[in-house]
Every structure is written in structure tokens, then in C-alpha cells.
């Protein structure tokens, strides 16, 4: 089997690959000294077009704990991007200096676009409100560490399911595991987007939707809280109306199972009260630490791969243009049309349906 050369969505991760990544992650946790020089002489390029604390720092820490170096930016204003350089050219240059590229951008599909022009593996560290697969690896590693296995779980996901990219990647990934049932908790305005719901139905994933966190809590094995994503709202008044809809408090946890995991990708912004932190079920800070170890495991795989000319992807012959204003194809108009993993009639970068033309 040819090794995976990119991680832009969880569709790139097979169950077999996950099992290998996780076993290696456990070994790294137990014997970090064995890996201290594993990537000596290698370099990762860290391209952050959007703010980040955990993702950016954990990649930097992961690379350095493997003996690799890191270069890059946390603000594109200091680079030629501010002179109008295209993503394709920036990626060609960055790939020529590095062994793996980590990219975060507010534009959906940017990592897919980057992988088209890179000779080295590309990792999506978050593309707008679309996907965030390495947060999902973090979440899976946390559940596996805390529960021993990922199986037969009732998982509640609460908050901004519309714009929460960590949620989109997490639900997709759970199709790899048996007996997972979801309780999707959000106000109707922040429900999961249709392309994710359609994918869940296509994979036969079980879910119910609810607006009540209190009603779902007693049933759950895992409660995954999320922040309402202020930066993705077009309407500030709507954000203000929805931002405090769910606040998890110590009192609410009285009805929860004694071994329910409370998770959050972080940062939080009021949706988990501070008094929850002392509850032994709250694992969100440990979760962030597992993120560093699983990223070490991922980098270790990618940094061993040979440099390779990017392979051309299957193009979509339709003349349709993506209508999603957040899609990378809006600014980078030279990009070839790609077929979405979810089938024809959808943009291969952001997975949104092409607008239907009315005559
Ligand atoms: C998340 C993100 O950037 O999508 N943070 C993270 O990477 N751990 C979640 C968020 O910002 O709310």
C-alpha cells in the first residue's frame, strides 16, 4: 500500500493507519527518549494565516521533540503573501525548503489546494469552518487513552456545529469505529451543515439532534463542548444572540455519568464554567497534551517520506463555479476544478454543493 502523503481531511485516514499512528503515539509517550533524534536534520514549515495557540505550539513542540527544526509564520503580513503572491507559488517555495508543510487558513479547501503544488506532505491545521483533522487525531488519542478503546460510545457534541471545523472532522472519523451514537446539541441556527449530515447518513452513522444540553447529559459517555466561532459569523448581532446559549456548569454535571469525559478542543470562551476544571471528568487540558504526542507520531511518518512531484488529482469537467464565499477557489481562481470526496455536484475544495442555475 502506498503511504498517505497528505492529511487534509479524515478521509485520508484509514482505520489501519490510525491504529499504527496511535500505537506509535503510545510508544512515544512511554519512551520519549527513543524518539529524541528521530527527525534530526529535518524541517517543518509552519504556515499560519489564522491565529492559533495549541495547534501551532504543539506542532512546533512535536517537531522539536523529534529533533527537527521549524520555520514559518504566524501572520502572513510579514511574507510575500502581502505582495499578492498566490498560494500555489508560496507552497512551491515553502515545499522546496522543508520536509512537511503545516498550514492553517481561514479559507476552506486551502490545504487541498496546497497539496496540489507541494513536493512534501501537507497537513491541514484548520481550513476555515471546514475541517481540522489533527484536532480529531488529538480527540481520538484522548478517548483511547482514557477509555482504553474507541467503541460503543454515546458522544454528545455541543455548541457551534455549523462552523466548528473540529466537529466536522470528528464526526466523519467516528465512522471508523463500532457502536458510536451521536447526540448533536445546538440551536437550530448552528446545526451541522448539510454536507456533514449527508456524509453521516451515507456512512450509516447514528445520531439524534437536540437543543437541550441538560436533557442529553445523563446519557453520555463523552461530552465534547465547542466555542461559538465568532470569526465565521457574517452577522454580529446573531453571534451575540447565540454565543452564550450553552454554559456547562458544575451543577449540571450532577446528572452525568461518573466516568463521562468532558472534552473541548479549546480555546473556551465561557461555554465551560471555571468550576468544571476541578472535576476529574474534565480532560480538556490533558487532551491538548495528547495533541502534541499524536502530532509527533504523524510528523514521524511524514518526515520519512521521499520528496515527490505532486500527483495530479481527478478534475471535474463541469463548468460549475463554487458559490461559497469562504472557499479558496474564490481568491485563487487558477485552481483546477476537483471532484469532491462526497461526489459530483460539489466543490472538491470545500465540499459545498454548486449553486443550481436558474434560467
Ligand atoms: C479549534 C480551532 O482552531 O478550530 N482550536 C484548536 O485548534 N484547538 C477550536 C476553536 O478555535 O474553537
Amino acid at each position: 500500500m502506498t503511504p498517505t502523503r497528505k492529511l487534509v481531511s479524515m478521509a485520508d485516514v484509514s482505520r489501519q493507519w490510525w491504529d499504527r499512528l496511535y500505537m506509535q503515539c503510545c510508544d512515544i509517550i512511554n519512551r520519549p527518549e527513543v524518539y529524541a533524534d528521530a527527525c534530526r536534520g529535518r524541517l517543518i514549515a509552519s504556515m499560519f494565516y489564522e491565529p492559533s495557540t495549541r495547534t501551532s505550539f504543539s506542532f512546533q513542540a512535536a517537531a522539536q521533540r523529534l529533533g527537527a527544526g521549524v520555520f514559518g509564520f504566524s501572520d502572513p503580513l510579514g511574507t510575500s503573501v502581502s505582495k499578492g503572491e498566490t498560494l500555489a507559488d508560496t507552497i512551491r517555495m515553502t515545499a522546496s525548503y522543508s520536509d512537511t508543510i503545516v498550514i492553517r487558513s481561514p479559507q476552506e479547501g486551502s490545504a487541498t489546494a496546497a497539496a496540489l503544488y507541494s513536493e512534501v506532505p501537507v497537513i491541514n491545521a484548520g481550513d476555515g469552518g471546514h475541517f481540522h483533522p489533527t484536532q480529531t487525531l488529538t480527540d481520538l488519542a484522548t478517548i483511547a487513552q482514557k477509555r482504553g478503546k474507541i467503541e460503543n460510545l454515546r458522544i454528545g457534541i455541543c455548541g457551534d456545529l455549523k462552523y466548528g471545523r473540529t466537529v466536522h472532522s470528528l464526526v466523519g472519523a467516528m465512522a471508523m469505529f463500532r457502536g458510536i451514537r451521536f447526540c448533536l446539541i445546538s440551536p437550530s441556527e448552528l446545526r451541522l451543515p448539510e454536507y456533514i449530515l449527508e456524509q453521516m447518513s451515507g456512512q450509516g452513522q447514528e445520531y439524534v439532534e437536540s437543543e437541550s444540553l441538560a436533557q442529553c447529559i445523563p446519557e453520555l459517555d463523552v461530552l465534547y463542548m465547542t466555542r461559538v466561532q465568532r470569526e465565521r459569523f457574517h452577522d454580529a448581532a446573531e453571534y451575540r444572540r447565540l454565543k452564550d446559549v450553552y454554559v456547562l456548569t458544575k451543577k449540571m454535571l450532577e446528572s452525568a455519568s461518573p466516568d463521562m469525559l468532558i472534552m473541548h478542543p479549546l480555546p473556551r470562551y465561557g461555554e465551560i464554567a471555571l468550576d468544571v476544571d476541578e472535576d476529574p471528568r474534565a480532560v480538556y487540558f490533558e487532551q491538548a497534551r495528547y495533541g502534541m504526542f499524536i502530532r509527533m507520531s504523524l510528523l514521524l511518518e511524514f518526515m520519512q517520506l521521499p520528496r515527490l512531484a505532486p500527483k495530479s488529482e481527478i478534475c471535474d469537467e463541469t463548468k460549475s463555479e463554487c458559490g461559497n464565499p469562504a472557499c479558496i477557489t474564490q481568491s485563487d481562481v487558477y485552481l483546477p476544478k476537483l471532484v469532491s470526496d462526497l461526489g459530483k455536484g460539489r466543490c472538491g475544495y470545500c465540499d459545498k454543493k454548486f449553486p443550481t442555475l436558474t434560467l
Side-chain angles (χ1 to χ4, degrees), residues 118-137:
S118 176
E119 291 183 341
V120 299
V122 169
I123 299 174
N124 182 5
D127 61 328
H130 189 216
F131 289 140
H132 191 349
T134 66
Q135 180 61 45
T136 297
L137 298 182

Side-chain angles (χ1 to χ4, degrees), residues 41 149 240 276 285:
K149 59 180 187 249
R240 281 196 298 275
V276 174
F285 294 116

Side-chain angles (χ1 to χ4, degrees), residues 120-310:
V120 299
V122 169
I123 299 174
N124 182 5
D127 61 328
H130 189 216
F131 289 140
H132 191 349
T134 66
Q135 180 61 45
T136 297
L137 298 182
T138 301
D139 303 338
L140 297 180
T142 305
I143 297 173
Q145 284 282 314
K146 291 286 167 190
R147 289 252 163 192
K149 59 180 187 249
I150 307 171
E151 207 175 87
N152 299 327
L153 296 172
R154 178 101 186 191
I155 303 178
I157 307 192
C158 176
D160 186 348
L161 312 192
K162 178 177 179 184
Y163 297 117
R165 55 192 174 192
T166 68
V167 174
H168 304 163
S169 289
L170 180 62
V171 292
M174 282 296 173
M176 291 193 286
F177 304 96
R178 279 195 301 138
I180 306 296
R181 288 173 301 152
F182 286 106
C183 189
L184 305 172
I185 310 154
S186 73
S188 60
E189 296 88 338
L190 297 179
R191 288 178 67 210
L192 273 183
E194 61 79 33
Y195 70 99
I196 302 290
L197 287 170
E198 200 169 292
Q199 185 192 34
M200 288 179 88
S201 306
Q203 297 182 132
Q205 290 183 277
E206 262 189 70
Y207 66 87
V208 291
E209 293 183 279
S210 169
E211 295 204 13
S212 168
L213 174 58
Q215 258 173 31
C216 293
I217 281 185
E219 312 280 308
L220 302 176
D221 302 303
V222 175
L223 172 59
Y224 192 94
M225 294 295 294
T226 65
R227 174 179 70 91
V228 178
Q229 307 278 295
R230 177 171 45 89
E231 63 276 34
R232 315 255 179 252
F233 277 73
H234 308 296
D235 178 351
E238 173 156 90
Y239 167 70
R240 281 196 298 275
R241 189 166 59 75
L242 296 172
K243 73 182 174 61
D244 299 319
V245 173
Y246 302 108
V247 179
L248 181 69
T249 59
K250 192 175 172 168
K251 180 102 191 79
M252 289 165 81
L253 288 169
E254 284 169 9
S255 65
S257 144
D259 59 358
M260 181 184 81
L261 300 179
I262 306 165
M263 298 175 64
H264 193 306
L266 300 176
R268 67 175 145 182
Y269 190 63
E271 60 280 354
I272 299 185
L274 299 185
D275 61 6
V276 174
D277 295 359
E278 68 211 30
D279 191 300
R281 291 168 288 191
V283 298
Y284 27 89
F285 294 116
E286 265 179 278
Q287 185 183 348
R289 183 161 164 81
Y290 291 130
M292 177 182 72
F293 292 119
I294 197 74
R295 287 180 175 108
M296 285 174 77
S297 184
L298 176 66
L299 288 178
L300 196 52
E301 295 261 315
F302 276 177
M303 288 205 275
Q304 313 299 332
L305 296 175
R307 188 170 283 278
L308 214 66

